[in-house]
Amino acid sequence: MSSTHTYSKKSQSLTKNQRIVLDLLQNSGEPLKAYFILDSLKKEGLNSPLQVYRALDKLVELGKIHKIESINSFIICNNSNCASNTAFTICERCGKVKEIKNKYLTDGVSDLVKDNQLEITRYNLEFYVLCKSCKIN
Amino acid sequence: MSSTHTYSKKSQSLTKNQRIVLDLLQNSGEPLKAYFILDSLKKEGLNSPLQVYRALDKLVELGKIHKIESINSFIICNNSNCASNTAFTICERCGKVKEIKNKYLTDGVSDLVKDNQLEITRYNLEFYVLCKSCKIN
DNA sequence: CTCTAAGTGTTATATTATTACGTACGTAAT
DNA sequence: ATTACGTACGTAATAATATAACACTTAGAG
């Protein structure tokens, strides 16, 4: 028999602010900066940096987005279940960022580090590259 | 034939500001923040953030120090020849940072990434860990 | 000596992020 | 139904991090 409740738990769903920030990042697909997000969502009712940062913090915690530390930007997560371990390439010339999905890579890194007798709780890998189109032109 | 010039390049020696910033990081061994460095070196004649950032930028470029992006801090380089590729562990509990020197790790990462058909120009890896003493206590 | 690249010193300002405080609201225990 | 609690919200103020612009100086190559 199913629950008599017809509504889902609050903890399963995002709040309005979290939702609109996530949607923006989702639609963009690119890394966005906090204050850009703020400007973009002024019309949705976001008025202060803190509202943005709180939403971003929560979304990072949930693994729905990632922070790219070296450019102070946030990007939608392309994978599933990578709340703690992330890897990106960033083109040095055009700035394009991609999340590295290759399981071989991330597993391999984990193994290498484990061999080094470290207890890893999470990691963030940022590879600066020359992307294909920038390599050509 | 080789050049007839006997270079004693300027690039071999650091300027005063670069020197005192490097010395501070060397003596500290810990990651330091730019404004902490500024405060610490007021007595040596550093008066503005820009003086610190310029010295830091140059030292990073020379590979003598590294920036740890996720904590906006700078640390003396423990290796040699790692201007472009760096890897750190950061303890989640006590904040202690160590540069990973294990050649096996960095070579391994390079290989993994090459297999992934990326042309890497440099990378920065930040592993959050529980360090030995924090694991015990 | 002269030219040039790199560095300096200073002021002002831009960018990124957090503290502090009070309010609102959903959930679970009483 | 009332209370207590945890989480999120809104707002103002401010802290922390980093760069722009400008004029001047210095070191080294030629």
Side-chain angles (χ1 to χ4, degrees):
Chain A
M1 18 180 280
S2 59
S3 162
T4 57
H5 296 281
T6 55
Y7 47 85
S8 54
K9 281 194 187 166
K10 180 182 190 178
S11 58
Q12 290 176 337
S13 61
L14 300 176
T15 66
K16 180 199 158 232
N17 287 356
Q18 291 159 11
R19 182 85 257 155
I20 61 177
V21 169
L22 181 64
D23 284 349
L24 181 63
L25 284 165
Q26 183 101 60
N27 294 333
S28 159
E30 290 183 327
L32 301 181
K33 287 171 173 282
Y35 277 73
F36 176 89
I37 294 171
L38 176 57
D39 286 344
S40 302
L41 296 178
K42 282 258 166 74
K43 55 182 178 304
E44 311 287 341
L46 284 195
N47 295 309
S48 81
L50 192 48
Q51 292 175 301
V52 174
Y53 281 107
R54 284 197 283 225
L56 289 170
D57 285 350
K58 189 67 187 179
L59 293 169
V60 166
E61 186 190 323
L62 295 173
K64 295 191 178 300
I65 66 172
H66 303 304
K67 181 171 188 184
I68 304 169
E69 296 287 353
S70 60
I71 55 174
N72 299 314
S73 299
F74 299 84
I75 194 168
I76 190 80
C77 175
N78 253 334
N79 301 331
S80 43
N81 303 319
C82 55
S84 52
N85 297 335
T86 55
F88 300 98
T89 60
I90 304 161
C91 178
E92 297 235 68
R93 189 145 163 255
C94 71
K96 187 162 188 172
V97 170
K98 286 192 180 179
E99 187 167 0
I100 301 179
K101 287 185 250 193
N102 191 330
K103 199 170 183 317
Y104 176 48
L105 169 61
T106 49
D107 284 359
V109 169
S110 275
D111 288 349
L112 283 168
V113 173
K114 270 180 202 136
D115 289 352
N116 209 24
Q117 295 198 305
L118 300 168
E119 175 167 335
I120 306 296
T121 56
R122 64 191 170 91
Y123 61 74
N124 179 54
L125 316 180
E126 301 184 6
F127 295 93
Y128 283 81
V129 303
L130 210 49
C131 77
K132 272 184 191 171
S133 60
C134 284
K135 200 165 16 175
I136 293 165
N137 304 316
Chain B
M1 292 298 288
S2 61
S3 164
T4 58
H5 298 110
T6 55
Y7 305 94
S8 67
K9 287 199 184 165
K10 180 195 213 170
S11 59
Q12 287 178 339
S13 61
L14 300 176
T15 66
K16 180 199 157 230
N17 286 358
Q18 291 160 11
R19 181 86 258 156
I20 62 177
V21 169
L22 181 62
D23 284 349
L24 180 64
L25 284 163
Q26 183 100 61
N27 293 333
S28 159
E30 290 182 329
L32 302 181
K33 286 170 172 280
Y35 277 73
F36 176 89
I37 293 171
L38 176 56
D39 286 344
S40 302
L41 297 178
K42 283 259 166 75
K43 55 182 178 303
E44 313 286 342
L46 284 194
N47 295 310
S48 81
L50 196 46
Q51 293 175 299
V52 174
Y53 280 107
R54 285 197 283 226
L56 289 170
D57 285 350
K58 189 65 186 182
L59 292 169
V60 166
E61 186 189 324
L62 294 173
K64 295 192 178 301
I65 66 173
H66 303 305
K67 181 172 187 182
I68 304 169
E69 296 287 354
S70 60
I71 54 174
N72 299 313
S73 299
F74 299 84
I75 194 168
I76 190 80
C77 174
N78 254 335
N79 301 334
S80 43
N81 304 318
C82 55
S84 53
N85 296 334
T86 55
F88 300 97
T89 59
I90 304 161
C91 178
E92 296 236 66
R93 191 146 162 252
C94 71
K96 186 162 188 172
V97 171
K98 286 191 181 179
E99 187 168 359
I100 302 180
K101 288 185 252 193
N102 193 331
K103 197 172 182 318
Y104 176 49
L105 168 61
T106 49
D107 284 358
V109 168
S110 279
D111 289 348
L112 282 167
V113 171
K114 271 179 202 138
D115 288 352
N116 210 24
Q117 296 196 306
L118 299 167
E119 174 168 337
I120 305 297
T121 56
R122 64 192 170 91
Y123 61 75
N124 179 54
L125 316 180
E126 301 183 7
F127 295 93
Y128 283 80
V129 303
L130 212 48
C131 77
K132 273 184 190 171
S133 61
C134 284
K135 198 165 18 177
I136 294 166
N137 303 317

